[in-house]
Amino acid sequence: MTRKKKIYKKKGNVIKDLTLKIFKILKEDTSKTYNYKQIASKIGITDSDGKSQVLKKLVELHETKKIKELDRGKYQINEDRKYHVGTLDVTSNGNAYFICDDFENDIFISSINLGKGLHQDTVKVYVYKKRRASKLEGEVVEIMERKKTTFVGVLQMNKNFGFVIPDSQKMQADLFIAQNKLNGAEDGDKVVVEMTDWPENSKNPFGKITQVLGKPGEHETEIHSILLEYGLPYEFPEEVEKEAENLSLEITETEIAKRRDMRKDLTFTIDPKDAKDFDDALSFTKLENGNYEIGIHIADVSHYVQPKTILDDEAFDRATSVYLVDRVVPMLPEILSNGACSLRPNEEKLTFSAVFEMNEKTQIVNQWFGRTVTYSDQRFAYEEAQAIIENCTLSENMEAYEMPVDISITDQSYLVTPAIVEATLKLDELAKKLRKKRMKAGAISFDRVEVKFDLDEKANPIGVFFKESKDANKLIEEFMLLANRKVAEFIGFSKGKETKNTFIYRTHDEPNIDKLASLQNIINKFGYKINTETKEKTSQSLNKLLNDVQGKGEANMVETLTIRSMSKAAYTTQNIGHYGLAFDYYSHFTSPIRRYPDVMTHRLLQHYLDGGISPKSDDYEVKCKHTSQMEELAAKAERSSIKYMQIKYMKDHQDEEFEGVVSGVTEWGIYVEIIANKCEGMVRIRDIKDDYYIFDEKQYAIIGQSSNNIIQLGDTVVVKVKNTDLERKHLDFNLISH
């Protein structure tokens, strides 16, 4: 039995998606012509008011050259005009922007012109300029490809059916769930729903529930919701775990014979205190000629994870480990990530190494790349290495000392061999020289403070603290950057010219001049300036800006805005250099446990070391695009988990007043970031009672109409928690004073 067409009877009803309906009919047979009565009949419209709407819409489409009129009143699709294909970026207020290579700027699409387009869908859009308007606008005419059909949300039941209210504010439509599609879910459950259909005449898409996550607000439910919202897994399929368990992890004499044996070289790791996987280690040897041999040793993941295996397919699909507030969702099963591939102390490990002979000026005299076997003598936390840097002095006779050195951190002390003290201090000295060179070459210094949480045994946040990058962190960073840069140069640049060898580059384009202009407009309010006359002056002034705001109330906001003005880093086979690091060649070689591009880098590097010819780049470019997209999703999930934990933390501090900085201003309210813990929430304009405020876009401010009070970007205010919404990850404040 076929479903009856919906009949539009009620006078005055506006026919939804009428443009899409007309285009669908005209595209069924592009050689045919239709009059308004025929189109109305095909849509299922019988009343005079509905037919009148069809006629008016046809005239409008003809005037804008979307369709053409062949005979009087007979219309046909206009195949001559240009449609544009791109992706949608839907905003939380229901409008969207159309991103397309055909246009320099994104095209605004109002919610009424979105049709059934959803966030990140690939769509065909008609772009036009309204009368007396300077900016282009767009209208979705066809959904080419859905980016996403699975959503996370809360089920609200009626008597015989339900609706899933999506968590994502970018998903504006609730999903209709029939009684037989509930899959055991009950009213109020947080669920995963798959969109199965979106009938032409339905306001809501139809869906079926595929998984019940639990009750909203429960910790595990919310963490799993975050992962699933971004399409990220939280457990490995059984067959992947089984394949990992069946791997041979033995380091045989035969395998050692194929490698450079560096087990006797002094080697150690420096990682976060709570790290479980150690994918990089440093070795240090003082040479007789006064130079230093420094090895950057990376877990040889590609030895264990072979192409065209279930394990490799899973690693590629995931593409990255995901670091949430209370857990890591690894790219590789634990037997590898925390076991065979983790460079734990006092264990022999298979590694892939970049070994440099370096002089006191940090000039590279010799370099070597290849597979090695290593032995880590010591595992340091950053705090322990930092204590050596702060409390010890480099001595020329350090290696002659026999007694261990006593290092104290707060109320604890531990013993370190003189050789490791010497190595740490010398590596720190060389790292500072490398960094100075890099900054002089135009690198941008983003030393952002990370928000961290003290969690109790139930993963509830009981404190907030900030993680700063100190000398020990920068020591590791500089030598990892060195390895990544030199590996990329080794493959991409030979005998004074660029090679055509396919490789995986980590690239970062120059900032968009319009975004820098917007940044300038904002920082003007605080008395800062940037100079964009040349590439060199841009990077110098950005570094000065980032240095000048340190310790100021507006620091985090300005740093965030500066990062947003930058282009996004990405993986590609097409090298354009890395603007932010000021490197002409840069790759990712140093973290194959947690990044799939590094695995590809290792394989390609070994392929060239073995004398292989350059493979075609097309397949690798597809893989680069996928890994870049997955990295972006993982970053969003990580930010969502921080936001969730901040709201959870603030839920227990609702009676306190906090000093904050206005970090954003919109027509519906101001965003305030609390200085003490960097939690950000919104004060809605309607909740400010001392005056009637109106948004002033030019001043990045709201202005009281009676008092002329101005609350603008960067102002210090006092707020109190009004509402915490864990499911939507939204925090509302009341304004106490300004």
Side-chain angles (χ1 to χ4, degrees):
M1 186 178 173
T2 58
R3 182 183 292 168
K4 287 184 180 178
K5 290 179 181 175
K6 186 171 179 180
I7 306 299
Y8 294 85
K9 292 179 179 175
K10 219 175 188 181
K11 191 168 181 177
N13 272 4
V14 176
I15 304 168
K16 278 191 69 69
D17 303 328
L18 184 53
T19 301
L20 286 177
K21 291 180 173 74
I22 291 171
F23 271 110
K24 187 175 180 182
I25 292 163
L26 295 181
K27 281 191 292 184
E28 284 175 1
D29 186 343
T30 55
S31 64
K32 275 190 175 183
T33 60
Y34 298 85
N35 63 30
Y36 80 95
K37 290 180 181 177
Q38 290 169 317
I39 289 173
S41 175
K42 276 184 165 287
I43 295 174
I45 295 169
T46 59
D47 66 298
S48 58
D49 184 69
K51 288 177 184 178
S52 176
Q53 288 186 53
V54 171
L55 180 57
K56 285 178 183 176
K57 179 60 73 173
L58 286 168
V59 171
E60 177 189 320
L61 293 172
H62 177 248
E63 285 176 350
T64 54
K65 296 182 181 178
K66 294 182 186 181
I67 62 175
K68 51 189 178 183
E69 187 178 23
L70 295 189
D71 297 318
R72 185 174 173 81
K74 290 273 191 175
Y75 296 95
Q76 188 182 62
I77 196 84
N78 186 357
E79 295 281 29
D80 299 327
R81 59 171 303 283
K82 268 184 133 183
Y83 290 93
H84 302 273
V85 174
T87 56
L88 287 177
D89 181 6
V90 177
T91 65
S92 57
N93 64 7
N95 298 322
Y97 289 90
F98 177 58
I99 303 165
C100 177
D101 292 338
D102 299 346
F103 301 97
E104 188 176 346
N105 298 313
D106 299 342
I107 306 298
F108 176 76
I109 301 178
S110 68
S111 57
I112 60 170
N113 286 332
L114 262 181
K116 291 180 168 58
L118 300 176
H119 183 55
Q120 292 190 329
D121 282 354
T122 301
V123 292
K124 186 181 281 188
V125 167
Y126 171 65
V127 176
Y128 60 94
K129 189 182 284 187
K130 277 188 172 180
R131 286 180 184 176
R132 299 177 186 170
S134 58
K135 291 184 178 179
L136 295 172
E137 290 195 19
E139 182 175 352
V140 175
V141 296
E142 187 179 344
I143 313 298
M144 308 289 285
E145 184 184 350
R146 289 277 184 217
K147 174 67 176 178
K148 185 175 178 181
T149 56
T150 300
F151 303 91
V152 174
V154 176
L155 176 65
Q156 289 186 359
M157 285 298 300
N158 290 308
K159 189 176 180 182
N160 298 314
F161 60 89
F163 283 95
V164 171
I165 318 301
D167 282 0
S168 173
Q169 293 181 21
K170 289 177 179 276
M171 176 60 176
Q172 299 294 319
D174 301 337
L175 290 97
F176 172 81
I177 312 294
Q179 185 79 38
N180 61 349
K181 304 292 184 183
L182 290 170
N183 195 21
E186 298 176 351
D187 184 49
D189 282 347
K190 181 156 282 196
V191 298
V192 180
V193 58
E194 182 184 337
M195 188 171 81
T196 55
D197 185 26
W198 197 333
E200 197 171 305
N201 297 320
S202 173
K203 178 184 173 184
N204 300 88
F206 287 19
K208 64 177 181 180
I209 291 172
T210 58
Q211 191 177 352
V212 178
L213 298 174
K215 294 298 179 186
E218 292 177 356
H219 183 76
E220 288 299 308
T221 300
E222 295 303 331
I223 292 294
H224 289 167
S225 296
I226 289 169
L227 290 167
L228 290 165
E229 178 61 38
Y230 296 105
L232 302 170
Y234 56 85
E235 57 189 6
F236 285 98
E238 191 177 335
E239 62 269 24
V240 173
E241 293 276 18
K242 193 172 287 185
E243 184 171 290
E245 287 167 9
N246 290 334
L247 288 172
S248 173
L249 305 181
E250 183 186 0
I251 299 176
T252 64
E253 290 301 321
T254 306
E255 184 59 39
I256 290 172
K258 298 176 188 175
R259 297 167 176 263
R260 178 172 171 175
D261 191 344
M262 300 188 72
R263 287 175 291 181
K264 291 184 179 178
D265 291 60
L266 177 67
T267 304
F268 53 92
T269 61
I270 305 177
D271 289 280
K273 186 166 51 179
D274 55 355
K276 293 183 174 63
D277 60 335
F278 315 122
D279 53 7
D280 56 73
L282 294 176
S283 66
F284 179 85
T285 305
K286 192 172 183 179
L287 303 175
E288 290 182 4
N289 63 5
N291 292 339
Y292 308 98
E293 184 182 84
I294 298 165
I296 294 102
H297 307 290
I298 310 301
D300 190 1
V301 171
S302 61
H303 171 80
Y304 298 101
V305 181
Q306 293 292 317
K308 297 178 182 177
T309 60
I310 296 172
L311 195 55
D312 186 54
D313 289 345
E314 181 71 16
F316 169 70
D317 286 344
R318 292 177 177 233
T320 181
S321 296
V322 185
Y323 292 82
L324 304 183
V325 168
D326 67 332
R327 72 194 69 193
V328 177
V329 182
M331 184 180 81
L332 299 172
E334 191 173 350
I335 195 170
L336 290 175
S337 60
N338 293 356
C341 296
S342 184
L343 309 184
R344 299 182 296 203
N346 307 315
E347 293 182 15
E348 293 179 352
K349 295 291 179 179
L350 300 180
T351 42
F352 211 135
S353 303
V355 183
F356 303 105
E357 181 183 340
M358 181 182 285
N359 63 23
E360 284 285 356
K361 295 180 179 179
T362 68
Q363 295 166 325
I364 306 298
V365 179
N366 286 303
Q367 64 182 25
W368 179 91
F369 305 102
R371 284 183 152 133
T372 52
V373 57
T374 52
Y375 180 92
S376 176
D377 300 285
Q378 182 91 37
R379 183 245 157 156
F380 285 119
Y382 281 120
E383 294 82 357
E384 294 166 341
Q386 187 65 30
I388 293 174
I389 292 167
E390 290 176 0
N391 298 308
C392 297
T393 306
L394 193 61
S395 167
E396 289 186 13
N397 299 318
M398 182 72 77
E399 67 271 16
Y401 295 168
E402 294 182 4
M403 295 297 291
V405 180
D406 190 350
I407 302 295
S408 296
I409 303 178
T410 58
D411 58 345
Q412 294 182 323
S413 64
Y414 62 100
L415 298 175
V416 185
T417 65
I420 283 182
V421 171
E422 179 192 28
T424 304
L425 294 175
K426 178 51 71 174
L427 287 168
D428 174 59
E429 184 183 290
L430 295 170
K432 283 169 178 166
K433 291 177 182 178
L434 285 168
R435 183 177 174 85
K436 188 175 180 181
K437 275 187 185 178
R438 196 162 56 81
M439 300 311 293
K440 192 175 180 181
I444 312 292
S445 176
F446 285 109
D447 290 334
R448 294 207 72 195
V449 171
E450 288 184 58
V451 178
K452 296 287 182 181
F453 297 89
D454 285 318
L455 304 178
D456 65 16
E457 65 281 354
K458 293 181 179 178
N460 293 311
I462 53 176
V464 181
F465 64 96
F466 303 137
K467 180 183 169 186
E468 294 183 67
S469 184
K470 294 188 176 181
D471 288 340
N473 306 76
K474 291 172 183 177
L475 183 164
I476 291 298
E477 179 187 27
E478 287 305 324
F479 284 104
M480 296 307 120
L481 291 176
L482 176 67
N484 288 335
R485 173 166 63 97
K486 287 298 179 182
V487 164
E489 283 180 6
F490 178 69
I491 302 302
F493 190 80
S494 177
K495 297 176 183 177
K497 63 179 182 179
E498 192 165 18
T499 71
K500 299 297 182 184
N501 291 328
T502 295
F503 204 54
I504 311 299
Y505 295 101
R506 179 69 168 178
T507 63
H508 184 228
D509 206 350
E510 294 181 22
N512 181 293
I513 196 71
D514 292 334
K515 289 184 178 179
L516 286 177
S518 297
L519 175 65
Q520 180 64 76
N521 286 339
I522 294 171
I523 63 174
N524 271 342
K525 306 289 180 188
F526 306 100
Y528 304 118
K529 286 184 180 179
I530 50 175
N531 185 335
T532 58
E533 287 177 12
T534 65
K535 180 179 173 181
E536 291 74 23
K537 287 181 178 179
T538 300
S539 57
Q540 286 170 8
S541 62
L542 286 173
N543 276 329
K544 185 177 186 305
L545 170 66
L546 294 167
N547 184 64
D548 290 348
V549 299
Q550 280 189 9
K552 307 278 180 62
E554 67 269 16
N556 198 50
M557 181 194 69
V558 172
E559 286 169 0
T560 301
L561 292 171
T562 305
I563 289 171
R564 286 177 185 168
S565 74
M566 297 286 108
S567 301
K568 285 183 181 176
Y571 298 108
T572 177
T573 58
Q574 307 300 314
N575 182 42
I576 59 167
H578 197 294
Y579 175 80
L581 295 172
F583 291 155
D584 292 329
Y585 294 86
Y586 188 66
S587 182
H588 269 173
F589 168 78
T590 53
S591 293
I593 288 178
R594 61 186 180 90
R595 296 188 303 225
Y596 193 81
D598 301 53
V599 179
M600 293 194 286
T601 294
H602 282 210
R603 288 173 181 164
L604 282 170
L605 176 56
Q606 187 61 52
H607 173 76
Y608 292 125
L609 290 171
D610 292 339
I613 62 170
S614 178
K616 290 182 178 178
S617 64
D618 292 355
D619 288 347
Y620 284 99
E621 190 60 35
V622 170
K623 289 178 179 179
C624 283
K625 188 173 182 180
H626 166 74
T627 52
S628 295
Q629 289 171 342
M630 293 304 292
E631 177 187 63
E632 189 175 348
L633 290 174
K636 287 179 179 177
E638 289 161 22
R639 287 195 294 269
S640 287
S641 80
I642 292 170
K643 183 75 175 174
Y644 163 74
M645 204 58 82
Q646 286 175 323
I647 294 168
K648 199 172 184 182
Y649 177 78
M650 294 303 292
K651 197 176 179 72
D652 293 328
H653 294 78
Q654 298 202 31
D655 296 328
E656 299 175 40
E657 293 183 1
F658 294 92
E659 192 172 59
V661 173
V662 177
S663 55
V665 185
T666 70
E667 58 190 315
W668 52 87
I670 59 172
Y671 288 95
V672 176
E673 182 187 84
I674 293 172
I675 295 170
N677 56 35
K678 301 199 183 301
C679 295
E680 187 181 62
M682 170 171 271
V683 177
R684 299 183 185 277
I685 285 181
R686 65 171 182 258
D687 291 334
I688 305 176
K689 304 300 184 186
D690 66 349
D691 203 342
Y692 178 71
Y693 285 84
I694 289 179
F695 174 53
D696 186 319
E697 190 175 5
K698 289 182 180 177
Q699 291 195 65
Y700 302 98
I702 55 173
I703 301 173
Q705 296 306 286
S706 299
S707 61
N708 283 327
N709 278 337
I710 298 175
I711 305 172
Q712 64 182 359
L713 204 64
D715 280 356
T716 302
V717 296
V718 176
V719 294
K720 195 173 182 179
V721 175
K722 176 191 175 189
N723 183 50
T724 57
D725 188 339
L726 286 172
E727 292 97 83
R728 291 297 181 98
K729 297 168 193 63
H730 195 85
L731 186 59
D732 281 319
F733 291 141
N734 280 322
L735 187 65
I736 304 301
S737 65
H738 56 89

